[in-house]
Amino acid sequence: MISRVQRRLFHTTAERLKKTPAEQRWLARQLSDPYVKSARQQNYRCRSAFKLLEIDEKHGILQPGFSVIDCGAAPGAWSQVAVHRVNATGSDPEAPVGFVVGVDLLHIPPLDGALFLPHSDLLQPAVQARIQESLPAGEAHVILNDMAPNASGIRELDQQRLAELCLCVLGLARMVLGPGGTLLCKFWDGVHSRLIQNRLTELFREVKTLKPRASRKESSEIYFLAKRYRKS
Ligand SMILES: C[S@@+](CC[C@H](N)C(=O)[O-])C[C@H]1O[C@@H](n2cnc3c(N)ncnc32)[C@H](O)[C@@H]1O
């Protein structure tokens, strides 16, 4: 529900900035979204932080001392959560110190405790090699994948691009994920989701489909949580 104050703010802002109808709808959604507000209050770079927080709270995937790869890291909210949960800055002197490396096509503002590879395409083998080189002992405990291709508006094409990104992450898992490791992988429910799920089931002992509360109901976005990697 949008409050009177929010509605007034929305109309004034939309008018002043001469927004298109689509931009106005986006602005209205942002202003009425409790996760956007909480992200601002808790200094998260975007609302997606709450998806990972919820998944981690329920399924305990991030632990102090873990090495984590964040695929599609910009603007860096998942990395913020990961840095904190794995103790990558060493802020808890009693706990083991973890490591976070994030990669994205876009710029990622620096974050204490994370190594970022901005302007990097994960589909490129050279980028995957740089990730592997950066990892302590060359292995990761957890791979997070929140990558999304730029929407073309053609549903089939976008699904196919997202499937390519997921398959690329599975290739990365084969390279760097340690035995028993975890992969959290965003997907859009649709024609290719069964294919991705089957591939995950071949590689991991446990695969669950999740829809965190912070994931918008109207979005087809789901997350596959694959645990206990069967490293051969
Ligand atoms: C939904 S955003 C990720 C948000 C991030 N999890 C956070 O919490 O800040 C998806 C990101 O995937 C990135 N991406 C898409 N294709 C990619 C690729 N081939 N290589 C690296 N990043 C990619 C996009 O640039 C975009 O920043």
Side-chain angles (χ1 to χ4, degrees):
M1 264 310 257
I2 306 182
S3 71
R4 263 210 326 246
V5 176
Q6 283 172 319
R7 195 172 298 125
R8 203 175 319 123
L9 178 63
F10 161 64
H11 283 301
T12 327
T13 314
E15 244 169 56
R16 202 181 47 220
L17 298 175
K18 296 268 181 283
K19 298 277 181 205
T20 64
E23 288 167 337
Q24 288 185 21
R25 278 196 299 279
W26 178 86
L27 186 60
R29 199 173 66 171
Q30 289 294 100
L31 287 171
S32 62
D33 185 332
Y35 291 106
V36 171
K37 196 173 162 198
S38 302
R40 215 177 302 122
Q41 284 165 346
Q42 296 177 44
N43 281 325
Y44 285 118
R45 293 179 179 185
C46 64
R47 68 188 294 293
S48 60
F50 295 100
K51 300 177 197 173
L52 181 58
L53 283 167
E54 182 186 328
I55 292 172
D56 190 41
E57 261 144 41
K58 279 197 186 144
H59 301 278
I61 59 178
L62 300 169
Q63 289 177 29
F66 273 13
S67 294
V68 178
I69 304 172
D70 184 4
C71 304
W78 276 27
S79 288
Q80 286 179 291
V81 173
V83 161
H84 178 65
R85 296 276 161 119
V86 306
N87 192 33
T89 55
S91 58
D92 180 354
E94 307 293 316
V97 176
F99 173 83
V100 176
V101 55
V103 60
D104 205 289
L105 291 170
L106 304 178
H107 171 71
I108 322 169
L111 174 67
D112 201 17
L115 169 70
F116 285 145
L117 306 177
H119 311 292
S120 303
D121 183 350
L122 192 78
L123 294 170
Q124 299 296 319
V127 170
Q128 298 176 23
R130 277 176 63 205
I131 292 173
Q132 186 171 32
E133 282 159 21
S134 76
L135 291 167
E139 269 193 355
H141 297 89
V142 178
I143 300 180
L144 305 173
N145 172 29
D146 197 26
M147 284 192 294
N150 278 337
S152 68
I154 306 166
R155 198 180 144 81
E156 257 300 293
L157 182 63
D158 291 342
Q159 280 261 351
Q160 199 176 322
R161 286 190 182 150
L162 187 63
E164 276 164 28
L165 292 173
C166 289
L167 293 174
C168 165
V169 172
L170 282 179
L172 180 68
R174 283 205 181 89
M175 272 172 76
V176 301
L177 197 60
T182 298
L183 168 61
L184 177 65
C185 187
K186 190 231 286 286
F187 206 71
W188 295 327
D189 205 9
V191 281
H192 298 289
S193 42
R194 178 62 63 185
L195 165 86
I196 301 298
Q197 198 171 12
N198 289 346
R199 289 281 171 89
L200 287 168
T201 310
E202 285 161 21
L203 294 174
F204 294 83
R205 289 199 165 78
E206 204 184 307
V207 179
K208 285 188 177 130
T209 305
L210 309 175
K211 177 81 177 169
R213 279 193 305 272
S215 176
R216 299 184 200 277
K217 281 194 192 68
E218 67 276 18
S219 152
S220 62
E221 172 185 85
I222 51 170
Y223 288 87
F224 291 125
L225 175 60
K227 285 172 122 178
R228 299 164 66 210
Y229 178 50
R230 312 167 198 263
K231 189 153 185 118
S232 44

